[in-house]
Amino acid sequence: MHGAGVQVIDDILDAEATTAALGKTAGKDAENNKPTYVSILGIKRARELAHELRQEAIGVLNQFGSEALRLLQVTDFIIQREF
């Protein structure tokens, strides 16, 4: 998965998780009027995009068979992490 997937999830977590759970100030991007995937697309579409990027990554990694198992696991961890 490329960096966009990581950033999409980071933006979603920044919008939805608590400061205590994140270990950093939650909602800081919105307070600073920073453009994020959530502010531009909304939560629902940002989640859909994250899952689309996951599917894209899986398609590429599947070409490598079992040798890519760890990367597939990391991809799932990134997309499915919650607080």
Side-chain angles (χ1 to χ4, degrees), residues 44-63:
K44 181 180 179 202
R45 179 62 189 122
R47 285 187 183 283
E48 291 169 353
L49 177 59
H51 289 287
E52 290 168 14
L53 292 169
R54 176 184 174 269
Q55 288 304 116
E56 182 182 317
I58 288 171
V60 171
L61 292 172
N62 279 337
Q63 298 174 40

Side-chain angles (χ1 to χ4, degrees), residues 3 14 27 29 41 56 62 69 76-77:
D14 184 69
D29 292 340
L41 302 174
E56 182 182 317
N62 279 337
L69 179 60
D76 282 341
F77 172 78

Side-chain angles (χ1 to χ4, degrees), residues 28-45:
K28 190 173 181 180
D29 292 340
E31 288 176 15
N32 293 327
N33 293 319
K34 180 180 174 187
T36 66
Y37 284 95
V38 172
S39 67
I40 294 169
L41 302 174
I43 289 284
K44 181 180 179 202
R45 179 62 189 122

